[in-house]
Amino acid sequence: MVLSILSAPWRRRHSFALSTLVLAASATLQPIAAEAQGAGRGQAPRSAGASQSLPKGPRAMMLGDWYRVVNVSSPAVSPDGKQVAMTVTRAVESDNRRHSEVWVVSTAGGEPQRWTSPGTESSNPRWSPDGKYLFFNSQRPGGRGNTWAIRLDQPSGEAVQVPEYPAGSMPANGRFAVFTDAVTPAPTVPTPDVFAQMPAMARPPYDAITRPTVPARFDGRHVVDMVYKNNNTGFVPGRRTPRVWRPQQLFKQNVGDTARTQITNVAYSHRGATVSPDGQWIAFVADAGLRPDSVVDLERDSLARLPYDKVRDEAERNDADIYLLPVAGGTPRKLMEWMGAESNLTWSPDGKQLAFVGRPARTKSARIYTVPVAGGAPVNVLGDWQFEPSSMEWLKNGLHFTADIGGRSAVLKADLTGKTAPKELVGGRRQVRGMSFDAAGRTMAFVATSLTRPTELFVANADGTGERQLTNFNKDVNADVVWSDAERFTYKSVGDVEIEAWLMKPYGYQPGRKYPLVLYIHGGPHSAYGEGWFDEFQNLAAQGMFVLFTNPRGSSGYGADFTYSTRGRWGMEDYEDLMKAVDIVAARPDVDATKLGASGGSYGGFMTTWMATKTTRFAAIQTDRTITDWTYWYGASDAQGLTEFEFYGKPWDNQKLYDELSPIRYVNKVKTPMLIVQSEEDHRTPMGSAEIWFMSLKKQGVPVELIRYPRSNHDLSRTGEPWLLVDRLGRLRDWFGYWLQGQKAGTAN
């Protein structure tokens, strides 16, 4: 797996009880009250704090407006198509946190209602196939696991857990579910454990040679495993027992019964299990040779220790295949031998075919294939279409899927013969996420955002007609703030490669005036900017600056050839792509070419420091989560697989390339003032790169500031503590306002 070191906004570009719930026991499932009293019909969730005292608009975005923006995600259409549940997330400014709730709205229109407690975090709603329950995720006291439900077919109290309603893949009649779980028990540390009172990271791992002299006196970290930290959870305690493999087995559980029936008991894992509509077959992905998990893992571990070898490491592989197994159990049948990686198994409504997303090789575009269950060759239904699929669902009227099409995204319908290009059903200059259908496949819900509008919920017919917006949670902030729009353009860069870009105008733009410009560089590098609302762009546009953002080669959304064209060549053609865009817009009469800035994070952080060594045309640069020395990064990061793939091996396999692409080797050429932003707990792009860059510029007399954010990891700018996130936005305003606009220090608002 290739790890991207930064996700762009809205991942691809995002993702993002203490009272009574009474529901009418009627076919329309109309809630009388929400789980929490005082839920309020149709009231957009509000943040608490200083943002409530902001002046009325129309006006430019102020920093406090960030707290007012509501994010809608995870739409789920009820089986009868009459309602849509969704996750609604807001910032609680006074508490420096985010809060998520489940809201429901009628597809016929009307005000949405909150269905979960305002005092508890709730998200990811999904309906039971029979429409009796609305399930959602929530960490609540007194429960087991995080799955809770609201009963819909009879008067109900607070949310409950329903162990007799299994989670997993269900047939068309919804009578049972198939899922995977481990049978082998997790190993436990023998007792008495003399190290039990030590901090988890201080305890000696199983394979350790040394031991604490006095356990009570050592509170450091003892590391023997290569994976001992990650960006999401921080430091990971070492394994204290022998290595044990726990293959994922297939289970079946009937609705209304808590008993589980084990279907398989083998040494290999079953992945992506899905039941046929008639409930007779289970399709799953497993190792191509059905080898034990232990053999697969140990082989992978052995290969990972070897030096890079082009013949071996670039060869196409067939690590897994699709299998079929009777629900009653038996011997699995391999559906086909297929070179590549299969995922997203989806049955046709008649159960005669399977669709899957297949990637023939690591650097080849993913396709949707269909294959007869009785056997036969898979059909590539996307042909040579440039773009790659994301999610998909096979309805009675066709196979629907979502895809990123450059900087925008859409819902499309595939031609099952593969002879014609997919038909776009829902699209336009926006980003569409979370495609969901009712049981009949007639009603579709999705979340959409555009450059000038944050996320809201929409509904349409399955063919894309009759589209309507169902929510308006961001009505108040949209009324006050004049969000800046952007002009989309494309241009030919080196090698005659077409690049997509956008130029966002500053707030209050007046023809005849000149404005400073800031170039934004996304992360990944296999991520992308696009047609969605993004706080960082709006933040600087509100400050009175042009914002230029592009998807240089290496970005996702344009096919695998484009995405992987920068392999081994970071900072080369991708740098030229970016500078070509700067050349184009700097020639405009309304752009002040003497007041240019650049900003980027992660891969964009690498690129901004790289730029600083290559050119002095920028008056100021801000670098986020930067990488300045790739050898240091390899040892300190949690994502070594990135450069092992992108740079053709480990540092000692290709030290020359690691050095040539390290900005620190050329730091003596830097003259541009730089603001460095770094998180203390970022294990993806650790602090050392920022520290050495700061010290190097300081020693050379180059204006530089380093901001170190506590309690923050690589995702500060997306999911970090709200106060710190907004503080960062203010510092970007300060830095570019000072160097590009001549403003006094610390005047951002």
Side-chain angles (χ1 to χ4, degrees), residues 250-280:
L250 292 172
F251 287 83
K252 174 187 173 184
Q253 181 180 337
N254 293 327
V255 173
D257 189 354
T258 59
R260 309 190 314 172
T261 300
Q262 185 175 340
I263 301 173
T264 61
N265 187 18
V266 291
Y268 58 85
S269 284
H270 308 74
R271 302 189 297 276
T274 179
V275 183
S276 60
D278 63 5
Q280 298 299 307

Side-chain angles (χ1 to χ4, degrees), residues 121-240:
E121 300 299 319
S122 304
S123 62
N124 191 30
R126 59 268 185 204
W127 306 83
S128 63
D130 58 12
K132 292 182 179 180
Y133 294 96
L134 178 64
F135 290 93
F136 59 93
N137 291 351
S138 184
Q139 295 291 347
R140 302 183 177 210
R144 185 176 183 180
N146 66 349
T147 300
W148 294 78
I150 297 170
R151 185 93 188 229
L152 305 178
D153 64 339
Q154 64 184 36
S156 172
E158 353 180 295
V160 296
Q161 293 192 305
V162 191
E164 66 272 18
Y165 209 108
S169 174
M170 290 185 168
N173 61 22
R175 292 180 178 176
F176 65 87
V178 167
F179 52 92
T180 59
D181 198 2
V183 176
T184 306
T188 58
V189 178
T191 56
D193 179 8
V194 298
F195 307 115
Q197 301 305 312
M198 299 178 68
M201 278 298 299
R203 299 167 189 161
Y206 176 79
D207 296 323
I209 295 173
T210 68
R211 295 289 187 274
T213 304
V214 180
R217 296 178 180 178
F218 177 71
D219 58 357
R221 299 185 180 105
H222 192 163
V223 176
V224 299
D225 296 322
M226 187 159 53
V227 180
Y228 69 94
K229 59 182 178 179
N230 67 59
N231 182 64
N232 295 323
T233 59
F235 287 98
V236 180
R239 173 174 48 84
R240 300 194 61 220

Side-chain angles (χ1 to χ4, degrees), residues 537-548:
F537 298 162
Q538 296 293 341
N539 179 54
L540 291 185
Q543 185 82 356
M545 306 176 194
F546 275 108
V547 177
L548 171 65

